[in-house]
Amino acid sequence: MTTGKKIKLIRTFRGLTQKELGDKAGIHEVAIRKYELGKNLPKPDQLRKIADALNVNVNALAEFDIKADGDVLPLLFAIDEVFSVELKDIDGEPGIFFKDKSLIQFLKDWQAMKELLAMGSQTMDNYDIWKTIRPSVTKVTHED
């Protein structure tokens, strides 16, 4: 999903107009409209203002260009640098496990959401909203 679509999804979920979001973020509504339409991509400082105004994690609005395994590996390595990742062999297949209880709970929540989606008890729109808002609920940080 593009950054613009994510902004619009959360803005409408929050019940805000483009003008109201622009006012809260200190960005003109025309810019918000262009971001949502995909005509422009917000600069990092603008994206942070929008994320703050929508009360979501700025990374939840970012786009990731993932097309191959090589695109995923740097993300996995970065996660391992911050949160200790344990790799275990389960039935001959490797699995990634976290020690942090909040991340474990998040994975359980994610599993439940995907099961509801697969059963048809949850819509894709609701799942997309959950994926965008959920990172703002999980506030697990690594202390140096």
Side-chain angles (χ1 to χ4, degrees):
M1 184 182 313
T2 66
T3 295
K5 287 181 182 177
K6 292 176 184 180
I7 291 169
K8 182 176 181 178
L9 182 75
I10 299 306
R11 176 185 60 77
T12 56
F13 177 77
R14 299 274 193 235
L16 298 171
T17 65
Q18 290 174 336
K19 179 167 180 16
E20 290 169 332
L21 174 57
D23 289 346
K24 286 181 78 165
I27 298 171
H28 197 279
E29 70 178 290
V30 173
I32 300 291
R33 186 173 304 111
K34 287 181 179 182
Y35 299 151
E36 288 185 1
L37 292 172
K39 292 183 177 182
N40 291 344
L41 192 62
K43 293 179 181 172
D45 62 320
Q46 294 167 318
L47 191 60
R48 179 153 312 278
K49 289 177 183 179
I50 293 168
D52 289 346
L54 291 172
N55 195 30
V56 297
N57 183 303
V58 69
N59 292 326
L61 298 177
E63 290 181 42
F64 297 96
D65 188 21
I66 299 174
K67 294 187 173 78
D69 58 355
D71 300 329
V72 173
L73 297 177
L75 298 172
L76 292 173
F77 296 146
I79 291 166
D80 188 38
E81 288 176 15
V82 177
F83 297 99
S84 180
V85 172
E86 190 174 335
L87 300 172
K88 292 183 183 177
D89 193 55
I90 306 291
D91 297 328
E93 296 290 331
I96 299 174
F97 295 87
F98 297 99
K99 295 178 182 176
D100 186 281
K101 291 181 181 180
S102 294
L103 286 173
I104 293 168
Q105 184 58 54
F106 162 74
L107 291 174
K108 289 178 181 180
D109 292 348
W110 189 15
Q111 180 183 24
M113 258 319 245
K114 288 192 69 93
E115 287 172 1
L116 290 172
L117 185 64
M119 292 185 311
S121 299
Q122 198 57 259
T123 66
M124 189 53 124
D125 283 346
N126 285 344
Y127 180 60
D128 286 341
I129 290 168
W130 181 86
K131 289 189 304 184
T132 307
I133 291 174
R134 187 61 172 87
S136 299
V137 175
T138 302
K139 299 283 188 188
V140 179
T141 56
H142 174 72
E143 300 293 328
D144 288 331

